Amino acid sequence: TRAAMPILYGLYVEAQLCNVSSFRLSDSSDWIFQVQKRSRNGTVEPIELQQGVGRLEWGDIHGADRLACDRSEREATMRIARPRKAGGKGKGKLGKLGKLCGETPLAEYAGQGTFPRLVAVFECEGCEPLEWTTGGIACVQDQNGQEVVRAQLDGMIWQDPRDGEACIRITFHEFRRL
């Protein structure tokens, strides 16, 4: 049988920025999410993305059932989505990623606002993301135009270690199926 196409989910966030003009999440960062099995029992487990990819084997299937199950029932994969070149393979939703996020699947969050903005797109197979539990690394540009390359979003908060005046606080996030 032919493998199912991955389902795309967008990570939308709202953030409070103090003396920061913008930030972009890094694809080299380690991310931790809670994901739900895409089946009727809805098992929830953590998945960690290292260098943009994470895999897990569901713990609710044992013995002979594990061998009899479709692979999507046994395993889950979540990865940062990559735009595909126009005109080649990858037409359809994945080909539209450039329109969603520009040249990179990790979009810039700039300015202030009270509405969620798309900052990342993920390809998911066998799972649905529920919760973003660890922030990861962001490339931050402060109001003076200086870039802080490795800003660690611990607990969805970052404060500039140089002087403490620049900060990011993720106040809300959600996943939406694209």
Side-chain angles (χ1 to χ4, degrees):
T1 61
R2 198 172 130 186
M5 287 294 295
I7 298 173
L8 297 179
Y9 289 93
L11 173 61
Y12 289 78
V13 303
E14 286 180 26
Q16 292 177 339
L17 307 179
C18 306
N19 296 318
V20 169
S21 62
S22 67
F23 71 90
R24 178 184 301 271
L25 298 170
S26 170
D27 62 352
S28 65
S29 151
D30 292 346
W31 308 60
I32 298 177
F33 300 98
Q34 290 290 324
V35 294
Q36 177 174 314
K37 188 173 185 177
R38 292 198 46 84
S39 67
R40 55 185 173 271
N41 72 357
T43 301
V44 175
E45 291 191 30
I47 190 169
E48 182 174 353
L49 273 63
Q50 296 179 337
Q51 300 299 315
V53 178
R55 290 181 179 81
L56 72 83
E57 287 196 21
W58 296 108
D60 65 339
I61 301 174
H62 306 284
D65 288 342
R66 178 168 289 286
L67 297 174
C69 287
D70 182 292
R71 181 177 174 184
S72 67
E73 286 293 315
R74 295 187 321 258
E75 300 174 350
T77 303
M78 185 173 175
R79 69 179 56 85
I80 295 173
R82 302 285 177 213
R84 307 242 171 113
K85 294 188 173 147
K89 287 186 175 180
K91 292 181 181 178
K93 286 187 181 181
L94 291 176
K96 294 179 184 177
L97 281 179
K99 292 180 182 174
L100 292 172
C101 292
E103 292 301 311
T104 175
L106 301 168
E108 182 175 80
Y109 187 103
Q112 300 288 347
T114 57
F115 59 92
R117 298 181 192 161
L118 179 66
V119 296
V121 177
F122 298 94
E123 295 178 22
C124 297
E125 297 176 69
C127 66
E128 175 182 352
L130 298 176
E131 188 65 30
W132 176 30
T133 59
T134 300
I137 297 170
C139 298
V140 178
Q141 189 168 28
D142 66 18
Q143 295 286 26
N144 299 321
Q146 293 182 342
E147 202 167 283
V148 179
V149 178
R150 306 236 354 130
Q152 182 67 41
L153 287 170
D154 291 322
M156 306 299 179
I157 296 174
W158 170 79
Q159 192 162 3
D160 191 341
R162 298 175 298 178
D163 59 15
E165 292 187 18
C167 65
I168 298 170
R169 183 170 167 253
I170 306 293
T171 57
F172 172 81
H173 67 276
E174 69 179 353
F175 289 96
R176 297 180 191 167
R177 187 172 172 169
L178 301 176

